[in-house]
């Protein structure tokens, strides 16, 4: 298996409202930042993750290429998923051996739409979508199945928002308050906030990674697994696909300093902690995580970027990143990053 590392990461200062910037305008500063960090002007491969429904236009990712510069011609691909899954495609592409670098980015502006309505469209169009089961409602079904302690969930939100306030890229959100429900048992603050933003990551292989970064964040394991789409066919209190992806990626092969988890709802943290076998001393989402900033289609990529940054900055030696897609943690990607390949 070819050695591949994250050598640069950049993200926008995320906002909870529309600032008037189009997607290419969101992307250009972060792509310029990773170019400056690596000294690269062109990449062997480019892959992005986004959602046409957020933009309200088909093939919206094509316009985003204006931020990359598509001339001279580039080798480019796109996934209609979070940028973390675009990173997986780029990692696979680097395994071919004919290129040494890849640019990966994800972006989304959920302030311009109703994210709950949009996420309903990913459900089965014949049996589930007609029920009007929106994203928060089916998350509430899972929260009920978990039956997590309310005080524990409140502490997760409080910690996430406090860490987010210390993160210059996350939203400035107050401590949780109020006892009304969004959809019982979830309260409004249990739900990740509406966020606009973008992120970019540069991958490099072998000696090229060592040239581009003094301390590359080597991806020593990466895997993703999916479960049945229908909620009634799964035990919602567990995440079997996360556990399987974690085992395949090798999470349990060594101590974990930091885990960045794609928790869009507070109850997902205990599910993912258990699935990945994370002990109580593992620091989870020190960036604040999605509960402090959730730019849809970039959130999972940011988890990988934040986990890598801890290694790039010598703040950690071994980290875990997690990204998810689909209803109730249906499809999950897990990556292990280390100081040595």
């Amino acid at each position: 298996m070819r050695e591949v590392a994250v050598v640069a990461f950049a993200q926008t200062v995320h906002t909870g409202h529309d600032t008037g910037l189009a997607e290419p305008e969101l992307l250009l500063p972060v792509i310029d930042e990773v170019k400056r960090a690596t000294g690269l002007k062109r990449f062997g491969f480019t892959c992005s993750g986004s959602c046409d429904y957020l933009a309200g236009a088909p093939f919206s990712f094509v316009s985003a290429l204006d931020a990359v510069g598509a001339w001279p011609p580039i080798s480019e691909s796109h996934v209609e998923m979070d940028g973390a899954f675009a990173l997986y495609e780029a990692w696979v592409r680097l395994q071919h051996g004919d290129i040494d670098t890849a640019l990966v980015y994800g972006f989304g502006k959920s302030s311009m739409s109703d994210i709950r309505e949009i996420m309903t469209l990913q459900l089965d169009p014949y049996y589930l979508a007609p029920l009007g089961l929106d994203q928060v409602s089916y998350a509430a079904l899972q929260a009920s199945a978990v039956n997590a302690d309310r005080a524990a969930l409140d502490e997760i939100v409080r910690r996430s928002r406090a860490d987010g306030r210390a993160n210059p890229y996350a939203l400035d959100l107050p401590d949780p308050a109020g006892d009304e429900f969004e959809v019982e048992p979830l309260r409004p603050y249990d739900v990740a906030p509406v966020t606009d933003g973008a992120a970019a990551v540069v991958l490099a292989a072998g000696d090229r990674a060592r040239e581009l970064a003094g301390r590359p964040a080597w991806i020593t394991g990466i895997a993703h697994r999916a479960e049945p789409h229908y909620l009634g066919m799964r035990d919602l209190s567990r995440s079997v696909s996360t556990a399987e992806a974690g085992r395949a990626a090798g999470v349990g092969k060594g101590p974990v300093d930091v885990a960045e988890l794609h928790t869009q709802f507070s109850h997902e943290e205990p599910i993912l902690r258990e699935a990945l076998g994370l002990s109580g001393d593992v620091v989870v989402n020190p960036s604040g995580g999605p509960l402090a900033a959730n730019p849809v289609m970039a959130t999972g990529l940011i988890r990988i970027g934040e986990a890598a940054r801890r290694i790039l900055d010598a703040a950690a030696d071994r980290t875990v990143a997690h990204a998810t897609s689909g209803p109730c943690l249906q499809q999950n990607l897990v990556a292990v990053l280390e100081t040595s390949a």
Side-chain angles (χ1 to χ4, degrees):
M1 194 71 71
R2 200 176 187 207
E3 300 173 345
V4 174
V6 174
V7 295
F9 165 60
Q11 60 183 312
T12 55
V13 175
H14 309 305
T15 65
H17 60 278
D18 177 29
T19 59
L21 296 177
E23 284 83 355
E25 294 173 304
L26 273 178
L27 279 168
L28 186 58
V30 297
I31 291 176
D32 282 348
E33 185 176 339
V34 295
K35 285 181 176 179
R36 285 193 302 271
T38 58
L40 296 172
K41 292 187 166 109
R42 292 178 61 78
F43 304 90
F45 181 63
T46 298
C47 196
S48 62
S50 66
C51 176
D52 283 351
Y53 285 104
L54 285 176
F59 297 100
S60 60
F61 72 93
V62 176
S63 65
L65 286 170
D66 289 343
V68 179
W71 184 264
I74 63 173
S75 175
E76 184 270 340
S77 184
H78 173 263
V79 298
E80 192 76 6
M81 297 179 74
D82 189 284
F85 295 89
L87 183 140
Y88 185 87
E89 181 177 340
W91 178 84
V92 171
R93 180 66 183 85
L94 284 164
Q95 298 302 319
H96 292 191
D98 59 323
I99 60 170
D100 295 324
T101 60
L103 170 67
V104 182
Y105 60 88
F107 60 93
K109 293 183 63 177
S110 51
S111 68
M112 301 292 288
S113 56
D114 185 340
I115 193 67
R116 291 173 65 169
E117 183 176 334
I118 285 175
M119 289 304 173
T120 298
L121 300 175
Q122 71 181 328
L123 299 176
D124 174 86
Y126 300 104
Y127 297 102
L128 294 180
L131 298 177
L133 190 65
D134 66 85
Q135 182 189 31
V136 178
S137 297
Y138 55 68
L141 288 175
Q142 186 174 46
S144 296
V146 174
N147 195 27
D149 177 65
R150 169 43 56 186
L153 297 184
D154 287 350
E155 176 55 26
I156 288 170
V157 178
R158 187 209 61 75
R159 187 201 73 226
S160 298
R161 291 189 169 193
D163 288 340
R165 290 194 294 272
N167 178 356
Y169 302 100
L171 304 185
D172 184 5
L173 300 172
D175 285 340
D179 56 5
E180 71 278 8
F181 291 108
E182 184 73 21
V183 178
E184 193 171 0
L186 295 178
R187 292 179 173 159
Y189 54 76
D190 290 314
V191 182
V194 169
T195 312
D196 291 357
V201 164
V202 176
L203 299 180
D207 290 339
R208 192 71 172 117
R210 296 178 180 92
E211 294 170 4
L212 295 174
R215 185 181 160 97
W218 296 100
I219 301 173
T220 58
I222 186 169
H224 70 84
R225 299 288 188 271
E227 296 176 59
H229 190 74
Y230 288 93
L231 304 181
M233 296 178 69
R234 293 192 266 147
D235 177 358
L236 295 182
S237 68
R238 301 186 301 134
S239 181
V240 174
S241 55
T242 299
E244 291 178 352
R247 282 192 293 271
V251 172
K253 291 181 179 179
V256 176
D257 299 321
V258 171
E260 283 282 345
L261 307 179
H262 194 167
T263 51
Q264 298 177 87
F265 303 92
S266 59
H267 71 273
E268 292 177 344
E269 182 174 315
I271 295 175
L272 294 173
R273 269 187 174 274
E274 180 181 359
L276 293 171
L278 300 177
S279 62
D281 59 351
V282 174
V283 179
V284 171
N285 290 346
S287 64
L291 292 176
N294 185 39
V296 175
M297 299 297 150
T299 308
L301 182 62
I302 291 170
R303 306 283 65 76
I304 297 175
E306 288 283 3
R309 184 174 62 82
R310 302 280 164 177
I311 291 175
L312 291 166
D313 295 346
D317 293 324
R318 191 170 189 266
T319 62
V320 168
H322 162 267
T324 191
S325 180
C328 296
L329 301 171
Q330 183 213 356
Q331 182 174 179
N332 295 275
L333 180 150
V334 178
V336 177
L337 300 101
E338 303 188 49
T339 55
S340 58

